[in-house]
């Protein structure tokens, strides 16, 4: 299974690439292929230091879509529509949105688009056959990057295509100690995306770092 990360050079994308590369074939996308290749070289070095061998390929965002079975959209919400407008070929792909539309005002606020969530906006922008799911919204980028630490978090996953959602949950469950939970259809996505501003407010007002969720 090949997983492509659009915007895979960013905070969360690069961290995800490092965690996923020892487990799956990962291709890292960028607007600039050279930037993606440099990011991959750094990630391979970081993984080597902890004794993990992997291959990681840096490509354009379009190639990351074309050559993968699962596409993770690791881009900021404000660049989501602009990025999707430049890309094509999502037909029949599993597309995963970890995107949280939010703003930092006096505190963190969930600011969804008219569709109700970033994932629902992705659903509207992509072809009907794209199998859109939401996952990974509530894990902080620096946790993905802390390669010697286990990721002990619950990961709510939602989507309308049951088989696609199961595949995404299978991916989640292979990473460190992450545990996937089926949260229902894509219509549930506003609830999940709004968890992140909540976690950030809790971290801020309680002087905590990298607050995550664990269902039990
Ligand atoms: N950071 C976190 O802790 C975290 C946690 C959970 C979920 N998320 C979600 O994950 C997504 C990515 O977050 P991030 O913190 O990784 O973002 P980021 O580092 O700010 O950006 C990710 C990538 O987006 C691309 N990008 C930047 N500006 C762009 C533009 N104008 N047009 C198109 N692409 C552009 C860049 O890739 P290239 O320059 O290589 O093209 C960049 O490396 C967000 O939607 C966020 O809500 C983040």
């Amino acid at each position: 299974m090949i997983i492509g990360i659009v915007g895979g050079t960013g905070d969360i994308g690069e961290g995800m690439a490092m965690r996923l590369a020892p487990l799956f074939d990962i291709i890292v996308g960028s607007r600039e292929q050279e930037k993606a290749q440099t990011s991959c070289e750094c990630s391979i070095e970081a993984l080597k230091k902890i004794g993990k061998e992997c291959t990681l390929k840096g490509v354009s965002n379009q190639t990351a879509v074309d050559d993968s079975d699962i596409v993770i959209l690791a881009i900021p919400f404000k660049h989501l529509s602009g990025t999707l407008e430049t890309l094509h070929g999502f037909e029949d792909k599993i597309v995963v949105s970890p995107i949280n539309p939010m703003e930092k005002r006096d505190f963190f606020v969930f600011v969804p688009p008219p569709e109700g969530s970033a994932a629902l906006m992705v659903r509207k922008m992509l072809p009907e056959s794209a199998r859109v799911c939401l996952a990974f919204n509530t894990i902080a980028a620096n946790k993905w990057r802390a390669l010697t630490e286990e990721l002990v978090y619950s990961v709510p996953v939602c989507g309308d295509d049951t088989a696609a959602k199961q595949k995404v949950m299978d991916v989640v469950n292979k990473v460190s100690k992450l545990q996937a939970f089926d949260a229902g259809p894509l219509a549930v996505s506003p609830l999940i995306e709004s968890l992140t501003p909540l976690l950030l407010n809790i971290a801020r007002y309680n002087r905590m770092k990298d607050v995550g969720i664990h269902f039990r």
Side-chain angles (χ1 to χ4, degrees):
M1 169 151 41
I2 302 178
I3 301 176
I5 309 177
V6 169
T9 59
D11 284 342
I12 198 170
E14 199 173 67
M16 280 181 172
M18 288 192 282
R19 292 278 188 170
L20 295 172
L23 305 167
F24 305 97
D25 288 328
I26 301 297
I27 50 180
V28 168
S30 168
R31 288 167 297 170
E32 298 164 49
Q33 182 167 346
E34 218 171 282
K35 183 176 171 188
Q37 284 163 343
T38 305
S39 162
C40 289
E41 283 160 21
C42 294
S43 296
I44 289 167
E45 270 310 303
L47 285 163
K48 237 186 220 162
K49 279 188 189 150
I50 57 160
K52 291 193 176 176
E53 293 288 331
C54 70
T55 53
L56 256 174
K57 205 164 86 181
V59 297
S60 67
N61 280 333
Q62 185 59 58
T63 304
V65 174
D66 292 341
D67 292 359
S68 56
D69 308 298
I70 297 183
V71 183
I72 300 174
L73 299 174
I75 41 178
F77 176 71
K78 64 180 174 196
H79 304 309
L80 175 61
S81 66
T83 300
L84 290 183
E85 277 162 11
T86 66
L87 300 173
H88 55 84
F90 286 97
E91 287 80 4
D92 302 319
K93 305 270 182 191
I94 297 176
V95 179
V96 179
S97 172
I99 301 170
N100 298 311
M102 61 182 197
E103 283 174 16
K104 188 177 180 189
R105 297 182 189 159
D106 288 342
F107 47 87
F108 291 93
V109 187
F110 179 50
V111 188
E115 291 80 1
S117 73
L120 289 167
M121 186 173 138
V122 171
R123 169 66 288 162
K124 193 174 170 192
M125 289 191 73
L126 296 188
E128 194 64 36
S129 67
R131 305 157 80 194
V132 180
C133 297
L134 165 152
F136 301 125
N137 298 62
T138 50
I139 306 168
N142 53 343
K143 288 293 176 189
W144 283 101
R145 290 164 168 277
L147 297 177
T148 54
E149 285 176 31
E150 295 284 8
L151 292 172
V152 190
Y153 296 113
S154 303
V155 179
V157 181
C158 70
D160 296 333
D161 180 318
T162 306
K165 183 163 58 176
Q166 188 57 55
K167 276 197 178 158
V168 173
M169 289 176 64
D170 291 344
V171 169
V172 170
N173 285 328
K174 287 208 170 72
V175 180
S176 189
K177 295 196 184 315
L178 294 184
Q179 198 180 358
F181 286 81
D182 185 347
L186 206 64
V188 168
S189 55
L191 301 180
I192 303 173
E193 292 177 8
S194 63
L195 287 173
T196 294
L198 170 69
L199 296 176
L200 289 167
N201 288 324
I202 286 175
R204 176 179 169 188
Y205 291 112
N206 296 276
R207 296 177 191 278
M208 295 164 76
K209 264 187 127 185
D210 307 321
V211 178
I213 57 170
H214 198 183
F215 301 137
R216 45 183 295 187

